[in-house]
Amino acid sequence: MFQDFKLVGDRPVAIQVKEYVKRLIIKGALQTDQKLPSTREMSGLLKVSRNTVIAAYEGLEDDGFTYAIPGKGSYVAAMVGQSAVDNGGADGSAWQIDWKTRMNEYAVSAVELDMMKQGIRAPKGTISFTSIAPDEQLFDLGNVRRAFMDRMAIEGQVLLNYGYAKGYKPLIDYLMHYMENKGVDISGKDMLITGGFTEGFDIVLSALRPSARRGAAICENPTHHTAIKNLKLQGFEITGIPMERDGIDVERLEAVLQTNSFDLAYLTPSYHNPTGIVMSPAKRSAVMKLMMRYQIPVIEDGFNEELRYSGSHIAPLIATAGQGNGVIYIGSFSKVLFPGLRVGWVLGDRALIDTLESIKRARTIHTSTIDQSILYQYLLNGNFDKYVKKARTEYKRKYELTKACCEAHLPEAQLSGDGGLHLFLTFPTGVHTRQLLEACTEQGVIFTPGDKFFIQEGEGTNTLRLGFSRVTDENIERGIQIIGKQARSFLKA
Amino acid sequence: MFQDFKLVGDRPVAIQVKEYVKRLIIKGALQTDQKLPSTREMSGLLKVSRNTVIAAYEGLEDDGFTYAIPGKGSYVAAMVGQSAVDNGGADGSAWQIDWKTRMNEYAVSAVELDMMKQGIRAPKGTISFTSIAPDEQLFDLGNVRRAFMDRMAIEGQVLLNYGYAKGYKPLIDYLMHYMENKGVDISGKDMLITGGFTEGFDIVLSALRPSARRGAAICENPTHHTAIKNLKLQGFEITGIPMERDGIDVERLEAVLQTNSFDLAYLTPSYHNPTGIVMSPAKRSAVMKLMMRYQIPVIEDGFNEELRYSGSHIAPLIATAGQGNGVIYIGSFSKVLFPGLRVGWVLGDRALIDTLESIKRARTIHTSTIDQSILYQYLLNGNFDKYVKKARTEYKRKYELTKACCEAHLPEAQLSGDGGLHLFLTFPTGVHTRQLLEACTEQGVIFTPGDKFFIQEGEGTNTLRLGFSRVTDENIERGIQIIGKQARSFLKA
């Protein structure tokens, strides 16, 4: 025995010895009340220092795997409860549950609607336009480290104990101020910090979903596929309104509102995903007047509002509403800053936020205090403004390069996208972008087929989304050239 | 104008100037196309350096609030979309929604069941036995800082970009190994990392809740009030089985199982909350045999299993099940380590975890990578074992002090609690602990009335929970003395 002990490089040796002996006890290689080798013997057997063995033996006793008899040594404690059912099962076999039969509709749909699980697996070296995550090469790690150390120095232990469901107070105050600077009237409003946009959206939907019947939601078509997923999972029927060059088709919207009733509207007025369109000021005011007339709560997706490359600042819908409380704004810096920091915020009517706070507490207690405090200190240190300036410059350059390449190599496709980290292409009907994707994949290029952003099966089969944030200039050119070549062969056919 | 500019200490001046001008534009004090003072004038007006003003003006242009005319200066851009609805509303008033009428049952119950919102507000200086959060004075901040810096040095940017819904791979591998060392057979099992126990529990319930009818759950009575809340919010009818000195009443359990069917069982076999009881090995095996016979999935709450003060290691139920897949184990270090790091894990059947992963992705994308990587590196560095040893020693001391004080000053109360961070007291019927609490609050002492841990209204009105982890030795003695004095006056009456 003790011949198969192997040290691994990166962990304290005493702990490795302790765990090695635990395994022998659990496997039954060491029996209850059996005496362990003396610390001297063991250090010889395992070729580790005697102090290491002494520490390991202490650990075993602390964890209740051994007991010591003073002057005699360490003995294996009774391993109680081990595999009681294995032995107990009538035929000695282990207890099996067929979990598939236990899963409800929600769980089954969550898997069916999980795009990550149907995502395109591409070989290394593939040029991928599928991501709209930020380019991590831009991340200013030094400032993030400093933000963490600064905050730890100021608050210390408090950051590691329980926080508040509503969020980290200094961050809430900062973001309220931040939203005021976008023109939002914050009187009568409050904020809930969440683990990103998705949690905020799902919590809001879970509160607004009707108890008795299925919910009814209205949104732009196409729209963010995660939003479509969450709406469906929360039991909403979705009515999509087509997009025009300057945003949602207001006449269609009004027509639908006249004939149907809705529990909520989900809108992305700036750098809409996937079309990248910015809703014009005229339409913003027209849409808001309609929502007011028909009393339909608006969930506004603040999604990379910060990634504006040109034109003047356009106030979000929640600013347009002034003192009105009909808009719930969900913000996040995931696309402009660091997605790994899971922080987003829900800004809305104070009474509403108070209810959402209780739902947040019931679901996750509170958002990571470390993430919130790092983000807060990073903002406070003024790193955010500098970083966004740098990121905007870089992304704008890539945006223009991508646009130029599309105009050169994909003249047949209609382009949209006024900012953000992606462009949206619409081909003449007949070009099926899923078939195009297959052809391109063989040539080592992938993108996101647009149909998955549409509400109804079979819509948008001639569209695709190009995310450029994580593609090199060279690959942007090569990739789009390849897509262009494949597209033309489809157009000929 | 520009007279009311005030500098606040802790933020970059250029940003403060930028935001000050933004406000003037938003308020309409600066009109569209109005020329801003030259950078020289402005630096005089605001008494800040000219370079600061130059930086601020650049920022305003970047954010689309101004435009520059070369050689002439900066001009206010059109503030589009501002308060369109305010002015648009027929009577000019803002759009109001009565959110109360829009909230569904789930939202209303979330508020009603939110104990934090009915929590006892006690004046400063009150001796509070209500918390079972760890004592933050014990936190080894230095090692947490080091863990963060180590991990950042190794992985850098990757930690700040999107992670995986399933969790941070190195942490999953580490925790699988950790559970193996508790005697768990991990073959056929997998793990999902969540933002703590509560998220894991809520996700599991959301998958097992029947679609068509209300669910039926069985659990110890009393039990963890957050678990009761989540079960109710997910639409489960709860059947509670009374506790005995060595755990759940197995005969009652069997009787109930014979006559009713259940979708799941929720059990806390070690350091049960609130009674602190550890289920005996004999009962563990008896309970598991029953659950196997009646095919009832078991959700095991690993709660503070690590806070064992005496006796030998007792394998968790999931270890008892051997290769069986009927137990879902939910673990967390929140009570033994740092609650602020929102990390927990769900260990169970591989196919089940695969489904839960999709639900996790739909709800929060993934758990904070920073939290996960700090915890991983902290474990890897061997800090966990050292810390738990230190924490155990300190909590064990307080545990024994609290116990001794109860025996001295509350002889009438029956004590339970074999470990963990709290003791549970049961008084002769007739002593109403909510009335006792009122009397004690006046004397500057508060605790948690036990009834909130019971399934039915009116149960456990003669019980209370004493959390000692964050109370000083002196206050433990003084506090329990005061409770004793008040209790006796109730007993006389």
Side-chain angles (χ1 to χ4, degrees), chain A residues 18 23 62 64 97 102 104 114 117 160 162 181 209 313 325 335 340 354 358 361 385 389, chain B residues 18 23 62 64 97 102 104 114 117 160 162 181 209 295 313 325 335 340 354 358 361 385 389:
Chain A
K18 181 180 87 172
R23 295 298 186 87
D62 288 339
I97 281 185
R102 306 279 182 145
N104 57 25
D114 188 345
K117 290 195 173 159
L160 295 179
Y162 280 111
N181 286 335
R209 163 190 14 106
H313 166 78
N325 71 352
K335 296 291 179 291
D354 184 65
S358 290
R361 182 175 287 116
D385 293 64
K389 193 178 172 64
Chain B
K18 181 179 86 172
R23 295 298 186 87
D62 288 339
I97 281 186
R102 306 281 182 144
N104 58 26
D114 188 344
K117 289 192 174 162
L160 296 180
Y162 281 111
N181 286 334
R209 174 197 57 219
Q295 286 293 301
H313 165 78
N325 71 352
K335 298 290 178 292
D354 184 64
S358 290
R361 183 176 287 116
D385 293 64
K389 193 178 171 64

Side-chain angles (χ1 to χ4, degrees), chain A residues 48-240:
Chain A
V48 299
S49 85
R50 189 172 171 200
N51 287 339
T52 301
V53 177
I54 291 170
Y57 278 21
E58 278 177 16
L60 284 165
E61 197 182 336
D62 288 339
D63 294 352
F65 279 74
T66 62
Y67 58 94
I69 298 181
K72 297 192 69 183
S74 293
Y75 295 78
V76 176
M79 269 304 296
V80 284
Q82 205 55 43
S83 300
V85 176
D86 265 3
N87 319 332
D91 57 355
S93 71
W95 174 25
Q96 295 298 326
I97 281 185
D98 177 3
W99 287 104
K100 290 253 168 294
T101 65
R102 306 279 182 145
M103 298 292 101
N104 57 25
E105 274 169 33
Y106 173 77
V108 172
S109 311
V111 175
E112 284 170 0
L113 298 170
D114 188 345
M115 300 231 170
M116 283 291 176
K117 290 195 173 159
Q118 295 114 44
I120 319 132
R121 301 265 166 284
K124 268 226 164 298
T126 302
I127 299 174
S128 173
F129 292 100
T130 56
S131 171
I132 59 168
D135 174 7
E136 58 199 32
Q137 300 312 317
L138 294 173
F139 294 171
D140 53 339
L141 231 55
N143 292 328
V144 174
R145 275 207 206 81
R146 188 168 317 108
F148 174 80
M149 297 309 259
D150 288 354
R151 211 61 221 157
M152 277 297 237
I154 296 165
E155 299 207 50
Q157 281 92 341
V158 178
L159 294 181
L160 295 179
N161 217 327
Y162 280 111
Y164 298 98
K166 194 162 174 300
Y168 179 61
K169 183 75 166 55
L171 180 63
I172 291 174
D173 295 343
Y174 191 102
L175 290 174
M176 288 296 270
H177 183 80
Y178 180 81
M179 293 306 294
E180 258 187 302
N181 286 335
K182 288 173 178 279
V184 178
D185 179 339
I186 63 168
S187 58
K189 298 190 179 72
D190 204 347
M191 186 178 282
L192 173 74
I193 302 291
T194 65
F197 165 83
T198 305
E199 189 190 16
F201 188 59
D202 201 52
I203 286 176
V204 170
L205 295 183
S206 71
L208 296 180
R209 163 190 14 106
S211 304
R213 53 175 174 81
R214 282 179 69 77
I218 193 162
C219 63
E220 292 131 337
N221 190 26
T223 192
H224 184 22
H225 51 55
T226 296
I228 296 175
K229 176 173 76 175
N230 288 68
L231 284 164
K232 286 181 177 172
L233 284 176
Q234 294 282 0
F236 284 88
E237 301 284 355
I238 309 173
T239 302

